[in-house]
Amino acid sequence: MNPRTESSLVTVPKQCYINGGWRDSTGGKLFEVADPSTGAPVVSVADTSTPDWSDALDAAATSFPDWRESSLQERSRFLRALFNRVTEKSDELARVMSIESGKPLGESMAEINYGASFLEWYSELLISQRGEVSDNPTGDYQMQVTRQPVGPCLLITPWNFPLAMLTRKLGAALAAGCTAVIKPAALTPLTCAWLVNQIHELGLPPGVVNYLPTTDARGLSSEIMADPRLRKISFTGSTSVGSVLLKQAAENVQASSMELGGNAPFVIARDADVDKAVTGVMIAKFRNAGQACVAANRVLVPIDMRDEFVEKLVEKVNALKVDAWDIDGADMGPLVDASQVRTVESVVTGALNEGGQVRAGGRRMDRDGYFFEPTVIVDAPIGGETWSREIFGPVAAVYSYRPEDDVAALANQTEYGLVSYLYGRDQKQLAAVADAMESGMVAINRPIISEARAPFGGVKASGLGREGGTVGLEDYQVVKYVALQY
Ligand code: SIN
């Protein structure tokens, strides 16, 4: 292992964290975490199983009554202290994140700023939240509406943004007064372990946060969700897994937040500035090597702008520097693992079989690790492979539309509805298209929409619930109505 990697992982616990203590998994089972830029294992971590899972849920359930009674000030100060820690130690955390996810250091730093902003936001929001008090219509009694924490939560986080997707859930859960059992993605548990260790050092009461790395995601969720003491599941990941979890949640009527797949259209209007649109696609598509549910999946460009747009896009794509996380100037890292490379490869092959043409990239790179060339495909058919599948890789699929086409209706031809990107000048037209988009979020003349103060989430197969914004806190609360007659 390269010495830089080894020294960067010294501060990361390799055990699981239950009821305020780090411990080995039952039976001492371990699994390996690899560096996607070499494919080589870098460290082994605890592979938890059934006794660990039940101990963690016991801890979350037992600590809940005290944590829900903690003052708003205590919770707010804790989140602020955690925000400060993450910010102060961002260099250390960035290396940990890059090693396990493959992100170039600059991308890890951007994610850390974004991830930390949820801790800051929830620490502020929780002390400003208000309830409602009013008289009933005939004046006999008072109506009080307050919010209480929903209870112990299971937080299942993905590998593509291992910090931000965690803080977006955990910040809200802790602010609301909930306790948590966290299951990180098996590909990227180290960022989560690092954060949980900061939580431990800052002295959060035992049991409030528990961390369970495992290779048996299905076993863990089935067991923990079968226990009625669990009151909420929050999941970020694929629509197919989300749908299984929703069925499991139905058994005990557990509250559910689901951030699922996306298939974002990137619509370029006829009056758009081509250069700005190209710059936008470069970010909306190639951020995190395209491994984002908000990644632009289908670029819709007016037919008379197409040639100029594709030529400029190809030039920028060919200029991207693809390399390992610790190489200066790397714009894009590898994909997360071999299976992700195969998935992207199969999407590209499918598009080519359907008549698509590769204008840039198109292949896995001939080197160690899971590198895939940044790719541009044109002329793939609407409704085909790159149109209907969430690509989750660095492949920009460009489609053209004619002046008589209803571009919003075209963009809506997908089961998903997370985010849509619109580029253009005519504000009235942009507003009309934004209104017609079947997506939970619309970004106009911007390639990035995510922001801690705004509600993130989708419609249709993209999920249920919102994270971030004020509603992100409310998603961890239940409304209580008290009718009070003196
Ligand atoms: C995602 O795409 O998985 C989330 C990215 C974000 O919050 O920006």
Side-chain angles (χ1 to χ4, degrees):
M1 194 194 309
N2 115 25
R4 200 160 164 216
T5 300
E6 199 159 8
S7 63
S8 301
L9 296 181
V10 169
T11 55
V12 182
K14 317 301 181 298
Q15 298 168 299
C16 57
Y17 186 75
I18 298 171
N19 203 22
W22 290 101
R23 71 180 212 198
D24 290 339
S25 58
T26 303
K29 269 176 51 193
L30 298 168
F31 68 92
E32 286 177 338
V33 179
D35 174 350
S37 62
T38 61
V42 287
V43 79
S44 295
V45 301
D47 193 358
T48 59
S49 55
T50 227
D52 310 310
W53 303 337
S54 49
D55 288 353
L57 184 60
D58 284 349
T62 309
S63 61
F64 176 60
D66 281 347
W67 183 244
R68 67 174 282 167
E69 292 307 325
S70 59
S71 69
L72 300 185
Q73 192 178 57
E74 181 184 343
R75 301 200 305 251
S76 173
R77 284 185 179 162
F78 176 79
L79 288 169
R80 168 60 65 171
L82 188 57
F83 165 78
N84 289 340
R85 265 297 172 104
V86 171
T87 311
E88 281 154 19
K89 294 185 171 221
S90 57
D91 287 339
E92 179 183 314
L93 176 56
R95 285 194 295 277
V96 174
M97 188 188 292
S98 287
I99 289 167
E100 65 177 353
S101 69
K103 288 174 204 251
L105 277 177
E107 283 212 60
S108 291
M109 281 307 250
E111 184 184 339
I112 291 168
N113 289 334
Y114 172 46
S117 71
F118 287 103
L119 302 172
E120 185 178 41
W121 166 240
Y122 286 120
S123 94
E124 290 165 2
L125 179 66
L126 98 125
I127 43 178
S128 59
Q129 207 181 26
R130 299 271 183 278
E132 295 162 31
V133 178
S134 60
D135 290 335
N136 82 309
T138 50
D140 319 318
Y141 60 91
Q142 198 177 60
M143 304 190 298
Q144 299 178 347
V145 180
T146 56
R147 291 180 184 277
Q148 297 184 325
V150 62
C153 303
L154 174 60
L155 311 180
I156 304 183
T157 58
W159 48 260
N160 59 343
F161 292 95
L163 181 76
M165 301 303 99
L166 172 59
T167 51
R168 191 155 83 178
K169 296 179 195 304
L170 186 64
L174 294 180
C178 298
T179 55
V181 173
I182 306 165
K183 192 213 80 68
L187 290 168
T188 56
L190 305 177
T191 300
C192 183
W194 185 94
L195 188 80
V196 170
N197 201 35
Q198 307 308 311
I199 289 174
H200 175 69
E201 286 179 13
L202 288 170
L204 192 72
V208 175
V209 166
N210 304 276
Y211 152 79
L212 297 174
T214 185
T215 50
D216 184 5
R218 187 182 286 257
L220 180 147
S221 59
S222 304
E223 180 173 314
I224 293 191
M225 292 175 73
D227 191 318
R229 291 176 301 169
L230 186 85
R231 294 314 316 141
K232 179 175 168 95
I233 157 102
S234 176
F235 169 72
T236 298
S238 70
T239 299
S240 55
V241 174
S243 145
V244 170
L245 292 172
L246 278 171
K247 288 185 194 119
Q248 286 174 209
E251 191 67 29
N252 285 309
V253 198
Q254 282 145 343
S256 307
S257 297
M258 296 283 147
E259 293 298 344
L260 308 178
N263 183 358
F266 191 108
V267 175
I268 302 168
R270 296 175 70 205
D271 63 354
D273 177 316
V274 182
D275 295 304
K276 283 191 184 146
V278 168
T279 307
V281 170
M282 290 304 295
I283 298 168
K285 176 74 251 184
F286 295 100
R287 169 183 180 227
N288 204 27
Q291 301 170 114
C293 32
V294 291
N297 218 52
R298 299 166 290 146
V299 181
L300 289 137
V301 60
I303 194 145
D304 47 359
M305 193 191 280
R306 189 192 102 133
D307 291 348
E308 183 189 357
F309 174 82
V310 171
E311 193 184 313
K312 289 181 165 168
L313 182 66
V314 165
E315 194 183 322
K316 285 214 187 267
V317 165
N318 284 335
L320 282 176
K321 181 171 173 184
V322 184
D323 221 321
W325 65 273
D326 54 351
I327 302 297
D328 282 346
D331 299 307
M332 194 181 103
L335 302 187
V336 76
D337 68 357
S339 123
Q340 203 56 31
V341 174
R342 284 194 294 274
T343 304
V344 174
E345 228 166 22
S346 87
V347 172
V348 172
T349 309
L352 298 189
N353 290 340
E354 292 168 344
Q357 311 275 328
V358 166
R359 290 294 178 83
R363 284 169 309 177
R364 67 169 74 199
M365 292 169 74
D366 186 18
R367 56 177 286 180
D368 283 346
Y370 308 121
F371 293 90
F372 199 93
E373 294 171 340
T375 297
V376 177
I377 292 185
V378 297
D379 295 341
I382 286 179
E385 195 80 10
T386 42
W387 181 274
S388 45
R389 275 177 74 174
E390 184 178 23
I391 299 172
F392 234 68
V395 178
V398 181
Y399 301 86
S400 42
Y401 67 91
R402 292 160 303 177
E404 63 272 25
D405 289 334
D406 176 346
V407 74
L410 202 54
N412 285 336
Q413 280 181 26
T414 168
E415 66 186 298
Y416 296 104
L418 186 58
V419 60
S420 311
Y421 300 91
L422 309 180
Y423 270 63
R425 287 195 173 97
D426 179 341
Q427 294 201 4
K428 211 165 152 198
Q429 195 198 1
L430 289 168
V433 178
D435 193 50
M437 286 297 180
E438 294 170 0
S439 59
M441 303 178 285
V442 180
I444 300 180
N445 292 325
R446 283 189 55 77
I448 293 203
I449 193 160
S450 311
E451 155 62 47
R453 286 168 162 72
F456 183 105
V459 298
K460 305 199 296 191
S462 289
L464 300 171
R466 293 292 180 267
E467 294 186 323
T470 49
V471 70
L473 178 58
E474 290 163 6
D475 262 16
Y476 286 83
Q477 295 173 318
V478 283
V479 172
K480 171 152 289 175
Y481 160 53
V482 175
L484 175 64
Q485 186 153 1
Y486 289 107

